[in-house]
């Protein structure tokens, strides 16, 4: 019955099968703007008055980096302002940090200072860091104790999870700083795409997510099929929008090959 505030492009709103409503029985109010990032004044405008017939605002969820925002990430001061606002208003502040290490590396954040801004953080170890599977939830001891109980009720938990934890620890020790290479390669792809016919818009990638729009005469479905047949796989992000992502298994030679494929198709 409480209310969650998040951005209209956020993953928790768009891609969790309605989990906010189905699992948590909560409603949602959305920040609408053009840059995928939220600001305290936008949250203040959405908060409900403390009346018994209105949903009670209790949680703010930020996403860093923003998937649908093209890998955009917050400046530290922006997150600090959000954190201070939430604490003043007694709102829980959660970071959907599926790709949070991309943001930390790109913005050169201090990890400990960054972590202290939030009541809870979720991290995906298989995006960019190269683990085969696995996510991590961070929070206070009391919060994690309750999270374990909720996970059990929902059928979560894995036997022999230590093998996966070992892979995650290796990734955290060896694969964080190299994320900067992924960002450089995404920018190389973006610069090449800007010169191609049939590409009508390229969102400059801040991290490793590259989003571009194609000519509406053919649309994204057509181009994705052609690209995959040529050896380059992308994701449909709209009727005329495509997403490409660089990661641990993509090297400079793969970028050169990808550019050649794109040039051949977008002549």
């Amino acid at each position: 019955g409480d209310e969650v505030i998040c951005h209209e492009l956020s993953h928790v709103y768009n891609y969790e099968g309605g989990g906010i409503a189905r699992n948590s029985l909560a409603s949602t109010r959305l920040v609408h703007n053009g840059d995928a990032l939220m600001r305290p004044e936008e949250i203040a405008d959405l908060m409900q008055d403390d009346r018994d017939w209105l949903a009670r605002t209790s949680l703010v969820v930020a996403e860093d980096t923003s998937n649908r925002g093209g890998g955009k990430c917050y400046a530290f001061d922006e997150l600090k302002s959000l954190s201070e606002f939430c604490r003043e208003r007694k709102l829980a502040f959660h970071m959907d940090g599926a790709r949070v290490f991309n943001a930390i590396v790109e913005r050169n954040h201090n990890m400990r200072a960054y972590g202290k801004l939030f009541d809870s953080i979720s991290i995906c170890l298989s995006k960019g860091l190269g683990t085969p599977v696995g996510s991590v939830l961070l929070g206070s001891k009391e919060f994690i104790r309750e999270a374990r109980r909720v996970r059990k009720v929902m059928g979560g938990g894995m036997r022999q999870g230590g093998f996966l934890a070992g892979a995650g620890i290796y990734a955290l020790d060896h694969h964080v700083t190299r994320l900067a290479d992924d960002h450089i390669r995404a920018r190389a792809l973006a610069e090449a795409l800007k010169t191609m016919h049939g590409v009508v818009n390229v969102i400059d990638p801040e991290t490793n997510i590259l989003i571009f729009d194609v000519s509406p005469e053919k649309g994204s479905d057509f181009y994705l099929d052609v690209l995959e047949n040529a050896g380059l796989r992308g994701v449909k992000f709209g009727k005329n929008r495509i997403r490409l992502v660089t990661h641990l298994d993509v090297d400079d030679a793969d970028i050169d090959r990808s550019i050649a494929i794109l040039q051949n198709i977008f002549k």
Side-chain angles (χ1 to χ4, degrees):
D2 281 7
E3 193 164 70
V4 179
I5 293 179
C6 58
H7 196 278
E8 62 177 324
L9 298 180
S10 65
H11 185 102
V12 295
Y13 175 72
N14 288 285
Y15 296 129
E16 298 292 352
I20 292 176
R22 186 170 183 171
N23 297 326
S24 302
L25 303 179
S27 60
T28 311
R29 287 171 75 83
L30 302 174
V31 171
H32 299 276
N33 60 38
D35 63 7
L37 307 180
M38 301 186 298
R39 295 163 185 83
E41 59 270 21
E42 293 171 323
I43 295 170
D45 287 343
L46 293 176
M47 288 184 65
Q48 301 273 37
D49 293 333
D50 187 17
R51 302 177 186 273
D52 56 8
W53 59 85
L54 297 175
R56 179 175 49 200
T57 304
S58 62
L59 174 65
V60 174
V61 179
E63 183 178 338
D64 205 14
T65 67
S66 170
N67 181 17
R68 288 196 66 86
K72 198 164 190 176
C73 43
Y74 284 91
F76 184 84
D77 287 345
E78 292 173 323
L79 287 172
K80 187 171 183 288
S81 295
L82 283 172
S83 178
E84 291 171 350
F85 174 88
C86 289
R87 285 174 181 164
E88 288 171 2
R89 302 297 183 94
K90 294 182 171 53
L91 303 175
F93 190 27
H94 175 71
M95 169 51 64
D96 178 4
R99 298 175 177 85
V100 71
F101 286 111
N102 290 92
I104 287 171
V105 168
E106 183 62 27
R107 294 285 187 153
N108 196 30
H109 294 312
N110 177 284
M111 291 192 194
R112 289 188 179 276
Y114 186 97
K116 289 178 180 178
L117 298 176
F118 310 100
D119 296 291
S120 57
I121 305 175
S122 57
I123 298 171
C124 186
L125 300 177
S126 62
K127 290 186 173 74
L129 297 183
T131 50
V133 63
S135 294
V136 176
L137 181 65
L138 309 177
S140 67
K141 289 182 179 180
E142 181 181 353
F143 175 83
I144 294 300
R145 189 181 301 115
E146 183 64 19
R148 288 179 179 273
R149 181 176 295 276
V150 172
R151 182 182 68 177
K152 180 61 68 175
V153 169
M154 296 180 69
M158 296 181 69
R159 300 295 175 262
Q160 306 305 327
F163 291 104
L164 296 178
I169 290 169
Y170 182 91
L172 291 170
D173 286 342
H174 297 90
H175 292 168
V176 172
T177 56
R178 64 144 306 280
L179 291 171
D181 298 334
D182 297 338
H183 304 169
I184 292 169
R185 289 167 181 147
R187 290 169 195 144
L189 273 175
E191 291 306 310
L193 276 166
K194 290 177 182 178
T195 67
M196 298 180 192
H197 298 292
V199 176
V200 298
N201 178 53
V202 179
I203 299 177
D204 288 323
E206 189 169 4
T207 51
N208 68 321
I209 296 175
L210 170 58
I211 295 174
F212 64 98
D213 297 318
V214 297
S215 172
E217 283 79 10
K218 293 184 177 178
S220 55
D221 286 331
F222 170 82
Y223 283 113
L224 283 168
D225 286 342
V226 175
L227 286 169
E228 179 146 5
N229 288 334
L232 179 60
R233 179 173 294 171
V235 172
K236 182 177 179 178
F237 246 38
K239 186 177 180 181
N240 303 308
R241 178 162 285 192
I242 293 173
R243 186 192 76 167
L244 301 176
V245 178
T246 55
H247 52 83
L248 179 68
D249 298 316
V250 176
D251 59 20
D252 289 335
D254 293 319
I255 296 298
D256 291 340
R257 182 183 171 209
S258 298
I259 291 173
I261 291 171
L262 290 163
Q263 288 173 332
N264 186 52
I265 290 169
F266 292 103
K267 294 179 180 178

